[in-house]
Amino acid sequence: MSQPGSVTMSATLAADEALARRRAAGERVIPMTSGEIGLPVLGALRERLAAAAHLNSYGPVAGSARLRRAAAGYWARRGLVTEPGQVVCGPGSKPLLFGLLLAVGGDVVVPTPSWVSYAAQARLAGVRSVPVPVLPGQGGVPDPDRLREAVTAARAAGQDPRSVVVTLPDNPTGTVAEPDTVRRLGEAARDLDLVIISDEIYCDLVLDPHTRAESPALYAPERTVVTTGLTKNLALGGWRLGVARLPEGEPGRTLATRLTGIASQIWSSAAAPVQEAAAYAFEEPPEVVGHIAACRRLHSAVARAVAGLFTAAGALVAPVRATCYVYPDFEPRRARLARAHGVHTGAGLAELLLSRHGVGLLPASAFGEPEHSLRLRAATSRLYGESDDEREAALSAADPLRLPWIRASLDRIGLALTDLTGEPVSPASPDHLT
């Protein structure tokens, strides 16, 4: 095992801090760097948290009995029959993912592109990441055929890949891997004896309410760990609560023992009042279900509007099927960007948009793609308003694209893209922009 490597600040958090400094200096910025969901907390959840403020004991490392029951029911309603004993809770899904890397051990396969922290956490754990490209329009899941090739080659070279991390739906691309791809992933993981760590934090944000992202646990239940939380579907990033579903049987019990041992040494337990409010959320009463549906509608309208702007600017954009992310590729505009702006990389393109227009995006290189790639990731979930009143109005609006503050952000993005391309780029009328 290699020694832990140097790990810099998360690209998304670092970009957010840079934008905050610009805003504090009086600049107007359009923040599209991080996946922070800019929406207020559901009132019923605030009430549960306040009512649980007296809970000040550590509690069980794996989580309270009520929370584990609620999480088990949440997964069962999604086709994954789960016993409470298979559930481990932590202070956010990010610590759980890191704990799982430590518990499984060995090197880890990561999709390319993938969320900024997967490879960074591998370095922090002192192991290596093995990058494997995704199939077009199916981000988050490594191409199963290339996965086989990469793992075989890595083992022949003396590496020790034991797990593969996947994201369903995907950050950064906003796409969802097809069920057949997920099935073939399960077959490859079984043949290669890999543990699948399936990050499903966005599973409730598939934009078509009648479609679900299929979990690898449906195809390889004996070797799949599923993680999720309340950061994205309910905009509770600051509450820091995540849950992991371990496999059934002896391998799952062994992994659970290792994970809880690691948890006991790192975070002891998640905050008890937050666990109580989270249990209520995972029980999915009607007000929670309705709130998530409203969030999903808002994400769909704004993300697809922004995708339309990038498409009008000549970028290649896969259909946005989930989350609040758009992943445009400006390769068709490479010659124009080089000639007019001296831009040759995604980082250069992101810097140009930020310095000239205050539009903050992340380059694809932050997600493991080559430096020369002209892809960017735009997170649209901070465009809903500056105040809770504006955000509430966006959440309840029949057509949020008609709201003046959202319209102003779309107009400004359009002006920035017009400058890039030399051709007019503007939002369609609210009657047609979806």
Side-chain angles (χ1 to χ4, degrees):
M1 180 182 293
S2 62
Q3 292 300 310
S6 61
V7 177
T8 58
M9 179 177 282
S10 161
T12 54
L13 299 181
D16 267 5
E17 291 191 3
L19 286 170
R21 289 192 293 271
R22 285 175 175 266
R23 189 191 295 272
E27 296 182 40
R28 184 184 171 205
V29 298
I30 304 292
M32 294 196 290
T33 48
S34 84
E36 176 82 49
I37 306 297
L39 290 171
V41 179
L42 179 65
L45 287 172
R46 290 199 301 267
E47 293 168 6
R48 271 29 179 220
L49 184 66
H54 66 286
L55 299 176
N56 63 339
S57 299
Y58 285 117
V61 173
S64 71
R66 182 187 175 192
L67 174 57
R68 297 170 83 190
R69 284 195 305 270
Y74 170 90
W75 275 307
R77 289 187 292 276
R78 285 153 180 79
L80 299 177
V81 176
T82 306
E83 294 297 326
Q86 293 173 250
V87 178
V88 175
C89 160
S93 60
K94 186 184 284 190
L96 283 170
L97 289 164
F98 182 59
L100 285 163
L101 292 184
L102 295 174
V104 174
D107 300 324
V108 56
V109 178
V110 298
T112 304
S114 62
W115 180 50
V116 298
S117 289
Y118 296 146
Q121 286 193 349
R123 290 194 300 273
L124 194 60
V127 302
R128 289 163 290 198
S129 56
V130 180
V132 177
V134 302
L135 292 166
Q138 299 192 60
V141 175
D143 178 340
D145 294 333
R146 298 181 74 170
L147 171 67
R148 291 178 185 271
E149 295 170 1
V151 170
T152 300
R155 287 173 175 166
Q159 292 183 245
D160 183 26
R162 299 185 202 172
S163 63
V164 53
V165 178
V166 303
T167 317
L168 287 156
D170 183 41
N171 170 13
T173 67
T175 59
V176 182
E178 298 293 339
D180 184 63
T181 300
V182 179
R183 176 189 60 78
R184 291 194 299 117
L185 167 78
E187 292 173 352
R190 185 175 291 118
D191 293 343
L192 296 166
D193 193 24
L194 296 174
V195 173
I196 301 171
I197 301 173
S198 186
D199 181 354
E200 300 181 15
I201 193 76
Y202 296 98
C203 70
D204 292 333
L205 297 182
V206 178
L207 302 183
D208 179 353
H210 305 294
T211 302
R212 290 195 188 278
E214 291 202 355
S215 174
L218 295 171
Y219 300 100
E222 80 286 358
R223 62 183 57 252
T224 300
V225 182
V226 179
T227 65
T228 193
L230 306 176
T231 299
K232 306 303 179 182
N233 62 353
L234 285 166
L236 297 177
W239 288 21
R240 308 311 304 140
L241 192 290
V243 287
R245 177 192 185 273
L246 284 299
E248 293 182 88
E250 188 56 37
R253 287 190 290 272
T254 299
L255 186 56
T257 298
R258 291 176 182 164
L259 180 58
T260 52
I262 291 165
S264 73
Q265 300 293 355
I266 298 177
W267 63 75
S268 299
S269 62
V274 176
Q275 288 191 58
E276 190 68 11
Y280 171 79
F282 280 121
E283 288 164 355
E284 297 187 291
E287 57 268 35
V288 168
V289 173
H291 184 75
I292 293 173
C295 294
R296 192 165 49 234
R297 288 191 296 271
L298 177 58
H299 295 322
S300 177
V302 178
R304 286 172 168 164
V306 171
L309 290 172
F310 285 118
T311 299
L316 302 174
V317 185
V320 181
R321 296 182 58 203
T323 77
C324 50
Y325 300 126
V326 184
Y327 201 62
D329 185 355
F330 282 86
E331 185 62 33
R333 292 293 193 172
R334 181 176 290 277
R336 156 75 187 181
L337 293 171
R339 183 177 63 254
H341 304 290
V343 166
H344 303 276
T345 66
L349 180 54
E351 175 57 31
L352 177 68
L353 286 166
L354 179 60
S355 61
R356 288 177 62 157
H357 300 284
V359 177
L361 304 104
L362 284 178
S365 55
F367 303 95
E369 298 229 45
E371 293 290 336
H372 64 78
S373 170
L374 288 176
R375 293 186 180 94
L376 301 172
R377 193 203 67 176
T380 64
S381 54
R382 299 277 292 279
L383 305 183
Y384 304 148
E386 294 291 330
S387 66
D388 276 354
D389 285 345
E390 287 185 348
R391 295 167 188 143
E392 289 282 8
L395 197 58
S396 60
D399 185 357
L401 303 181
R402 291 183 179 275
L403 296 173
W405 55 92
I406 293 179
R407 192 73 183 172
S409 292
L410 296 176
D411 286 340
R412 184 152 180 200
I413 295 165
L415 288 174
L417 295 176
T418 295
D419 179 45
L420 281 187
T421 63
E423 301 170 9
V425 176
S426 60
S429 70
D431 293 326
H432 300 97
L433 190 56
T434 60

